[in-house]
Amino acid sequence: MINSLRKLKTPLLILICCLLGGGAGTGNVSAESAADSYNYSYWGDAVAAPAAYVATEWISGSDLGTGAFQEPSDLHVAAGNRVYVLDSGNNRIVVLDHDLKLVTTVDSFTREGKPDTFLQPQGIFVTDDGEVLVADTGNKRVVHLDADFQLVKIIDSPESELLQDSFKFEPMRVVMDHAQRIYVMAGGVFDGFMEFNAEGAFTTFIGANRVYIDPIEYFWKQISTKAQRSQMVMFTPTEFTNLDIDSEGFIYATNGDQWGNNIKKLNAQGSDILRRTGYSDPQGDILYISSEGPSKLIDIDVTDSEIYSVLDGKRGRVFTYNGDGHLMYVFGGLGNQLGQFHTPAAIDRIGEDFLVLDKALGEITVFRTTEYGRTLNEAVKSYYRGEEETAFALFNRTIAMNANLDFAYAGIGKALLRQGDYKDAMKHFKRSLDQKNYSKAFLLYRKEVMREHFPLIMTVLFLAGIGIFAAARLRKVKERRKGASA
């Protein structure tokens, strides 16, 4: 009997692994069949939508007169819509004005009286005051320059008990908050972002991702020998792929997690506080061909009113979400036409428009907003600012252009809810299948009805009580009379 079980062990293990592997992604349907601009319905179906943004032009280094870009890796739009392009292959920063015309190029700075240069820099960030931080990856340092590109400080070779003796500092992306704290995404670091104080000293890690355990890999580890396990991949937290910071100091970040939570909003303690109350969690495409896998998010840009956009490096698409996690619109893709990319690397907003950097082609694609995109953007912003009447009107205009945008009905419902029109709010929440807010509107509507008709209800109850009491007394009187006559 034991020998028979041993013979069956291998076939059974193979069968179990096939079932586990085959079940992954079987319910996924590609969104490729949808239009270039699409959205996801409450039921998770890809539905066509009007274009929120359209590509209008390409901009290259040659067009600017600076010579071709060589594998540019990042860009940042600062105050006054000044654009900073990190031309990594040429080890320089190219600065453009709000009209995307050349202002200057920076390929060196003075350090201790001598010129110093960048080496394969990968990330750039510019503060509201014009201070520039560069993740100078090849030189294993962060360079902090002032608005005139004069050196403020260098961060390199951080020391701490939290760091191993063999640690090598390879900054890839960098941001700074209003308190002059610097957050660095470093290569090979799985403990989160590295935080540095205003003086440039390393203080701690924040926002480490959770460890994801592949069930199939874990299963094989349990039945493998010690020697075999030593050759297998270790279970480690997912690395971050990019970050941005909003005006309130919250860090928005993307990571390579393929199983959800690949977008995070981190507070000062490093806790993820991103709201995920949309029809599906913000993650890029939710429908895809199983062989291709989910979106690989490589950049994130956050604007005002908690609106943020992420760039999918796998399919070249830009996904924009509101603060609750509802998908607002999608644009972009891979290809050779205007509005498509070869190797997208970075995104940022310039006013209401978008800039997308293509690393392989060395070009910036400019996307201008359409009437539909402007209307939807302003509707979300108006609601965020508490301008209910404006939000109500703009969401109605949005629905007139795109009846498939289910969450816009919820937006109207929320605007009506704030205005105290609970009955109509219920209708729109029902249309958007927003059960939580429908229940809230129903409770408020019920209270309103009770309050409005309270005198009538109490009068009816009082009269009904008197009637019941009178009927009972009358019945007792009749029973006594019958007893007396008997």
Side-chain angles (χ1 to χ4, degrees):
M1 180 67 178
I2 295 175
N3 290 333
S4 299
L5 290 174
R6 287 177 177 172
K7 291 179 180 179
L8 289 172
K9 182 179 179 180
T10 300
L12 285 172
L13 291 176
I14 294 174
L15 177 61
I16 291 171
C17 290
C18 289
L19 290 173
L20 289 172
T26 54
N28 294 333
V29 180
S30 174
E32 304 296 336
S33 59
D36 291 338
S37 179
Y38 60 93
N39 207 301
Y40 287 109
S41 69
Y42 172 87
W43 304 106
D45 299 320
V47 294
Y53 284 82
V54 294
T56 57
E57 60 182 312
W58 282 309
I59 298 175
S60 67
S62 300
D63 297 331
L64 297 170
T66 64
F69 293 144
Q70 295 294 326
E71 296 189 342
S73 61
D74 200 10
L75 61 80
H76 187 92
V77 179
N81 288 335
R82 179 163 286 198
V83 182
Y84 295 72
V85 182
L86 192 61
D87 188 6
S88 304
N90 290 318
N91 300 315
R92 64 181 180 176
I93 303 169
V94 179
V95 185
L96 313 178
D97 64 15
H98 63 280
D99 292 322
L100 303 178
K101 303 299 182 182
L102 180 65
V103 175
T104 187
T105 60
V106 180
D107 55 13
S108 65
F109 55 92
T110 301
R111 182 184 186 186
E112 298 179 352
K114 298 179 181 179
D116 201 346
T117 58
F118 305 110
L119 180 60
Q120 291 296 314
Q122 297 298 307
I124 188 169
F125 179 80
V126 185
T127 68
D128 292 339
D129 297 328
E131 296 186 32
V132 180
L133 291 100
V134 178
D136 193 5
T137 310
N139 287 320
K140 302 184 185 306
R141 64 187 182 180
V142 172
V143 179
H144 182 185
L145 307 175
D146 63 18
D148 297 320
F149 302 104
Q150 300 300 310
L151 181 64
V152 176
K153 63 176 174 287
I154 295 284
I155 299 176
D156 60 359
S157 303
E159 296 180 358
S160 172
E161 295 179 353
L162 299 175
L163 302 173
Q164 299 180 0
D165 294 336
S166 59
F167 174 73
K168 294 182 179 179
F169 187 48
E170 296 183 357
M172 305 296 292
R173 293 292 190 272
V174 59
V175 298
M176 186 167 72
D177 64 15
H178 294 302
Q180 301 292 304
R181 288 186 295 259
I182 296 173
Y183 301 92
V184 176
M185 185 189 85
V189 174
F190 300 95
D191 298 310
F193 298 115
M194 301 181 70
E195 179 183 316
F196 297 83
N197 61 24
E199 288 71 39
F202 173 70
T203 54
T204 188
F205 292 103
I206 70 163
N209 292 308
R210 292 183 178 180
V211 177
Y212 171 76
I213 299 177
D214 187 324
I216 298 177
E217 186 73 20
Y218 179 77
F219 174 76
W220 281 113
K221 281 195 174 186
Q222 297 306 303
I223 63 174
S224 300
T225 64
K226 185 176 181 180
Q228 290 172 329
R229 287 196 295 269
S230 66
Q231 301 297 319
M232 292 182 177
V233 178
M234 297 290 292
F235 294 132
T236 56
T238 307
E239 283 187 278
F240 285 104
T241 57
N242 221 314
L243 76 164
D244 196 10
I245 192 166
D246 68 8
S247 59
E248 297 179 350
F250 294 109
I251 294 176
Y252 286 71
T254 55
N255 60 59
D257 192 346
Q258 297 187 10
W259 306 98
N261 288 344
N262 52 359
I263 305 173
K264 291 187 174 182
K265 178 182 180 180
L266 306 176
N267 60 16
Q269 289 74 41
S271 301
D272 181 17
I273 58 171
L274 187 73
R275 295 199 302 277
R276 299 178 176 88
T277 57
Y279 299 138
S280 60
D281 287 350
Q283 56 185 289
D285 272 318
I286 61 174
L287 301 180
Y288 48 83
I289 298 173
S290 299
S291 59
E292 293 184 354
S295 297
K296 182 181 179 181
L297 305 183
I298 60 172
D299 196 10
I300 185 166
D301 171 70
V302 56
T303 184
D304 61 333
S305 307
E306 297 186 331
I307 297 174
Y308 57 95
S309 304
V310 292
L311 175 62
D312 180 2
K314 183 177 292 185
R315 300 181 181 88
R317 293 172 180 158
V318 177
F319 299 83
T320 297
Y321 299 89
N322 72 355
D324 290 327
H326 283 289
L327 178 61
M328 295 172 60
Y329 41 76
V330 183
F331 63 88
L334 298 180
N336 300 314
Q337 300 179 357
L338 180 62
Q340 298 177 330
F341 322 106
H342 183 279
T343 309
I347 57 169
D348 210 335
R349 284 179 182 260
I350 178 166
E352 284 294 312
D353 302 328
F354 272 98
L355 303 178
V356 181
L357 182 65
D358 193 310
K359 184 174 185 177
L361 299 178
E363 296 176 335
I364 300 172
T365 303
V366 182
F367 287 86
R368 305 292 184 187
T369 182
T370 64
E371 181 183 359
Y372 171 71
R374 287 190 297 272
T375 304
L376 180 53
N377 284 341
E378 192 55 37
V380 173
K381 292 178 180 180
S382 296
Y383 177 78
Y384 180 84
R385 295 191 296 261
E387 301 169 358
E388 291 85 6
E389 293 184 3
T390 302
F392 174 80
L394 290 172
F395 272 123
N396 272 298
R397 285 179 56 191
T398 302
I399 289 173
M401 291 182 275
N402 180 18
N404 291 329
L405 191 64
D406 291 341
F407 95 87
Y409 293 94
I412 294 175
K414 290 177 181 178
L416 291 170
L417 196 63
R418 284 185 176 179
Q419 295 178 40
D421 191 348
Y422 307 128
K423 185 176 182 179
D424 282 345
M426 288 168 55
K427 295 178 182 178
H428 286 86
F429 288 137
K430 184 177 181 180
R431 172 64 179 81
S432 66
L433 300 175
D434 189 339
Q435 298 178 4
K436 181 179 179 180
N437 282 305
Y438 179 87
S439 298
K440 182 178 180 180
F442 174 77
L443 291 174
L444 292 171
Y445 178 63
R446 185 176 65 182
K447 288 182 180 179
E448 182 181 61
V449 171
M450 290 292 292
R451 186 165 52 249
E452 181 181 351
H453 300 286
F454 182 78
L456 177 61
I457 293 173
M458 292 305 298
T459 300
V460 171
L461 290 175
F462 178 74
L463 293 176
I466 293 176
I468 293 172
F469 177 77
R473 294 286 298 177
L474 182 61
R475 184 175 60 185
K476 287 182 179 180
V477 170
K478 288 182 178 180
E479 289 177 351
R480 289 175 182 173
R481 287 177 179 178
K482 287 182 179 179
S485 61

